Every structure is written in C-alpha cells, then in structure tokens.
Amino acid sequence: MGKGTQAQRLSLALGIPHIATGDMLRAAVQSNTPLGLKVGAIISRGELVSDDTMVEVIKERLSRPDTVRGFLLDGFPRTTHQAEVLGKIFDEQGRKVDGVVVLDAPDEAIVQRIAGRRTCESCQASYHVLAKPPKVEGVCDRCGGVLIQRSDDNEETVRRRLKEYGTKTKPVIDYFKTHNWPMKPVDAIGDMDQVFGRIYAAIMLP
C-alpha cells in the first residue's frame, strides 16, 4: 500500500493527527467552492497545487489544538519554497522537526502501486488490483458499492507526476540535507507490514 496508508498506521501508533494534504484538497474539490473547482481542474491534469494555496491550507491546519502534541505531515512540503515556508511556520509556532521519512522505490514500482488503486464510490474503502483485490472484481467487500479509479491514479497521470517530482520535489530532499533536517530514508519495496516496520524503526530509533 502507499504512503497514505502507512501514514495513517503511523498516526495511530504514535497517537498524533495525520495531516494529508491530498485528502484536504479532495475535500475542497467535493465542496464545489471556487477554490475547490480550481483545485479539481489542477488535479485532473496531474499537476501540483500552487505553493501559496498549499501553504495557506497547512498553516491553518497546524494552528488547531489537536497538533499540540505533534502531527504527521503527508504530502507536504513538495517544493523547496514550501520547505522554506514550513520552516518559518515552525519557527513562528515554536516547533521543531523530529524526522523526515523518505520512502525510496523505483518509478515502475510506484506506477504499478498507484495505478492499481481502487476506491469504493460509496464508503471510500481502499483496494488494490494486485495487493488487496476485492472478493468480487469491481465490487466493495464492505458495502457492495462500485469500485472506481480516481482520475489522478491512471498510469499516464502517475508518470507525468513522477516527471514533475523529479524537477520540483526531489530538490526538496537536497534542501533538507543542506539545512540538517533529520532525514529518515526507508526502503519502500515489500509488503505493507514490512515497510511499516522499517518506518516505525526509523522514527523511534535514534
């Protein structure tokens, strides 16, 4: 399973909120507000939402009381500018970074993993055509709803986003290293429990 599933498990294990920008943006799309419509168009093209929009969303979320004991960011920062602004937000709020988990996997493995994801249209349960298939193809085990592939999960979009990752997001890792953020590299190849074990160990061990 993907980083979102691993982040949810880690959030439960540590007892801190899982702040997933992707989920927050999809909620905005479903709201049909002007911002939601704008975000929806960007996501459907396989592009990334602007830094200014993401920073606004994150800053508001980190100001909520449930983040006092800590939190887990999923999908942010994606650019060097976002990383710089996040550092300033942490300084303003008196926070520090305990660890930056970097999941490492070949592009082809990522394409197979993401393009195979399916979601129940009714209850939002998650499946994967290879790793976690439903008992009946296209039908949710939980509620019998129809399983769909999100528009941003198709192979063409995934490959486009990987290319964009190489040009925009990969430099963020270099930024973290240069500014001595605590990096936690993790091998992301393997089943869900194996990868989670590596992530948990990376976070908990000095």
Side-chain angles (χ1 to χ4, degrees):
M1 305 302 287
K3 67 177 178 59
T5 301
Q6 297 291 0
Q8 290 172 1
R9 292 187 65 179
L10 188 61
S11 169
L12 289 172
L14 299 178
I16 57 177
H18 169 214
I19 302 177
T21 54
D23 290 343
M24 294 171 71
L25 292 174
R26 282 189 285 275
V29 172
Q30 293 173 357
S31 72
N32 287 320
T33 61
L35 174 60
L37 294 174
K38 177 181 177 182
V39 170
I42 294 171
I43 292 176
S44 66
R45 294 195 299 268
E47 299 173 1
L48 301 179
V49 176
S50 72
D51 285 353
D52 290 342
T53 300
M54 289 310 312
V55 167
E56 184 178 351
V57 170
I58 289 297
K59 190 170 185 178
E60 188 279 330
R61 181 64 183 87
L62 296 188
S63 68
R64 298 182 189 178
D66 65 338
T67 67
V68 172
R69 293 182 56 252
F71 53 87
L72 177 61
L73 279 178
D74 176 7
F76 188 93
R78 290 184 183 271
T79 67
T80 301
H81 175 64
Q82 289 179 359
E84 292 172 346
V85 175
L86 182 62
K88 292 178 181 178
I89 293 174
F90 284 165
D91 288 342
E92 292 172 0
Q93 298 183 352
R95 302 179 186 270
K96 67 181 181 69
V97 180
D98 294 314
V100 179
V101 176
V102 180
L103 299 177
D104 186 24
D107 284 0
E108 288 306 313
I110 295 173
V111 171
Q112 183 184 70
R113 183 177 296 172
I114 297 179
R117 295 192 301 203
R118 299 294 183 270
T119 304
C120 177
E121 199 170 27
S122 300
C123 72
Q124 303 303 305
S126 298
Y127 297 86
H128 192 280
V129 295
L130 297 177
K132 187 186 175 184
K135 295 176 181 177
V136 178
E137 184 177 353
V139 180
C140 177
D141 295 346
R142 181 188 298 174
C143 72
V146 177
L147 300 185
I148 61 173
Q149 181 184 46
R150 293 203 321 248
S151 61
D152 53 329
D153 278 351
N154 66 78
E155 182 174 342
E156 181 182 356
T157 299
V158 174
R159 292 190 183 280
R160 187 185 308 124
R161 294 186 74 176
L162 282 172
K163 184 177 180 180
E164 192 166 356
Y165 167 84
T167 58
K168 290 187 177 180
T169 309
K170 193 172 182 296
V172 177
I173 296 177
D174 297 330
Y175 175 88
F176 290 152
K177 292 177 180 177
T178 301
H179 290 77
N180 298 316
W181 287 39
M183 305 292 290
K184 308 286 186 178
V186 173
D187 178 5
I189 298 299
D191 65 36
M192 182 170 65
D193 291 336
Q194 289 173 332
V195 176
F196 178 74
R198 295 172 197 148
I199 294 172
Y200 189 82
I203 291 292
M204 300 304 293
L205 296 177

